[in-house]
């Protein structure tokens, strides 16, 4: 069984001009390398920070496994692996919300904050999935609903409860929280741009058409590995203080 699943994967021919396939392949390698880095660093941290760094590793590891399938799906079938993409996101984005919660716990973050952010992110992803698959002709509408949920997350971390907790925590936690906020505002904004490049809607004249997977692959590498490194750095700094 394993043979049939994995051996063909390794020998699929990739065309020299298949830049989409290339970004899937490089994305897969980058996620694997990042996972190894986070997991192997775990023993240097005390208990308080180990969970946060472990979650960084889980995020890139879950992505690595999905990229392994997605690069294969692209090479064999030649279509966007939309289903795997969203399964990946629905697992990893809530884990990114968990990262916010974990670093803010020292300032007294409540579980309700975590659940609020997870609910926003699930709404964002389910509606985005509907727009890309089931209701393609209404992609603009579903993208808008998804965008509202995205802005709810942005609001929560920049101005809402999470930002207040970060200010209360101060120091390294506040500094790292700020960087994560920028990742969500700028790095995550690549996703709706990719969505608009790859779906049909009023925005088609405004935004150049492009490959949705290239945009998503670049965004995933920046956001998942970048996020993890910010948390890793915070753990390193807090440890030596
Ligand atoms: C590791 C994966 C991450 C951080 C994925 C994030 C995905 C988004 C922020 C997606 C957002 C979308 C919109 C705001 C509107 C259009 C539909 C989506 C789902 C692409």
């Amino acid at each position: 069984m394993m043979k049939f699943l994995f051996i063909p994967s390794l020998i699929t021919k990739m065309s020299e001009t298949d830049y989409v396939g290339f970004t899937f392949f490089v994305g897969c390698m980058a996620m694997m390398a990042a996972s190894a880095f986070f997991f192997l660093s775990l023993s240097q941290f005390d208990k308080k920070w180990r969970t946060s760094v472990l979650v960084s590793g889980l995020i890139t590891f879950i992505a690595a496994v999905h990229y392994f399938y997605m690069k294969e799906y692209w090479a064999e079938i030649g279509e966007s692996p939309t289903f795997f993409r969203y399964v990946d996101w629905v697992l990893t984005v809530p884990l990114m919300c968990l990262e916010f919660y974990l670093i803010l716990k020292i300032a007294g973050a409540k579980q309700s904050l975590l659940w609020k952010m997870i609910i926003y992110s699930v709404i964002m992803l389910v509606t985005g999935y509907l727009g890309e698959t089931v209701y393609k002709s209404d992609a603009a509408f579903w993208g808008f609903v998804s965008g509202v949920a995205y802005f709810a997350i942005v609001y929560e971390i920049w101005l809402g409860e999470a930002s207040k907790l970060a200010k209360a925590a101060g120091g390294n936690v506040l500094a790292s929280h700020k960087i994560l906020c920028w990742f969500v505002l700028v790095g995550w904004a690549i996703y709706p741009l990719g969505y608009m490049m790859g779906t049909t809607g009023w925005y088609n004249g405004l935004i150049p058409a492009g490959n949705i997977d290239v945009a998503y692959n670049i965004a995933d590498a920046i956001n998942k590995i970048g996020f993890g490194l910010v948390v890793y750095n915070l753990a390193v700094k807090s440890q030596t203080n």
Side-chain angles (χ1 to χ4, degrees):
M1 186 60 188
M2 294 296 271
K3 235 181 188 169
F4 289 120
L5 271 176
F6 290 112
I7 300 295
S9 314
L10 298 173
I11 56 164
T12 305
K13 182 164 167 37
M14 200 193 291
S15 141
E16 290 82 359
T17 53
D18 180 7
Y19 63 97
V20 182
F22 176 77
T23 61
F24 273 120
F25 192 85
V26 173
C28 185
M29 293 303 148
M31 296 295 180
M32 284 204 247
S35 310
F37 175 80
F38 293 130
F39 289 147
L40 291 172
S41 77
L42 280 179
S43 60
Q44 82 185 65
F45 298 112
D46 55 39
K47 236 176 136 191
K48 196 169 131 244
W49 288 104
R50 208 174 291 157
T51 316
S52 297
V53 179
L54 173 67
V55 173
S56 291
L58 287 176
I59 290 169
T60 52
F61 183 69
I62 292 170
V65 175
H66 283 84
Y67 267 80
F68 190 85
Y69 282 95
M70 289 198 291
K71 77 168 169 51
E72 210 36 44
Y73 189 98
W74 175 262
E76 294 280 342
I77 301 169
E79 285 170 17
S80 274
T82 310
F83 177 75
F84 285 126
R85 174 80 70 190
Y86 276 85
V87 174
D88 173 348
W89 288 354
V90 104
L91 297 171
T92 53
V93 176
L95 286 175
M96 293 170 109
C97 298
L98 177 62
E99 293 279 40
F100 274 101
Y101 167 77
L102 286 175
I103 72 170
L104 294 175
K105 236 166 98 177
I106 46 161
K110 291 196 240 48
Q111 271 192 24
S112 59
L113 169 69
L114 173 63
W115 285 113
K116 194 160 48 169
M117 290 182 58
I118 290 179
I119 288 167
Y120 291 153
S121 61
V122 171
I123 294 173
M124 174 179 87
L125 296 172
V126 169
T127 51
Y129 183 75
L130 292 177
E132 275 193 52
T133 57
V134 194
Y135 304 116
K136 270 192 190 140
S137 53
D138 292 320
F141 169 75
W142 290 103
F144 174 77
V145 178
S146 174
V148 171
Y150 167 53
F151 274 108
I153 300 173
V154 169
Y155 177 84
E156 189 54 56
I157 58 174
W158 276 90
L159 303 162
E161 197 183 329
S163 92
K164 290 185 189 105
L165 289 164
K167 281 189 194 117
N172 290 334
V173 170
L174 176 60
S176 301
H177 176 83
K178 261 279 136 66
I179 304 175
L180 294 183
C181 283
W182 279 108
F183 267 101
V184 173
L185 185 66
V186 180
W188 287 25
I190 303 170
Y191 298 99
L193 275 176
Y195 180 92
M196 289 191 272
M197 278 160 47
T199 57
T200 319
W202 55 266
Y203 37 77
N204 287 149
L206 302 171
I207 287 159
N211 187 280
I212 200 168
D213 288 300
V214 172
Y216 289 168
N217 292 351
I218 292 171
D220 273 358
I222 294 173
N223 290 305
K224 292 187 164 61
I225 300 173
F227 230 75
L229 286 174
V230 172
V231 172
Y232 170 84
N233 248 318
L234 173 61
V236 170
K237 277 196 215 145
S238 309
Q239 185 107 310
T240 48
N241 278 349

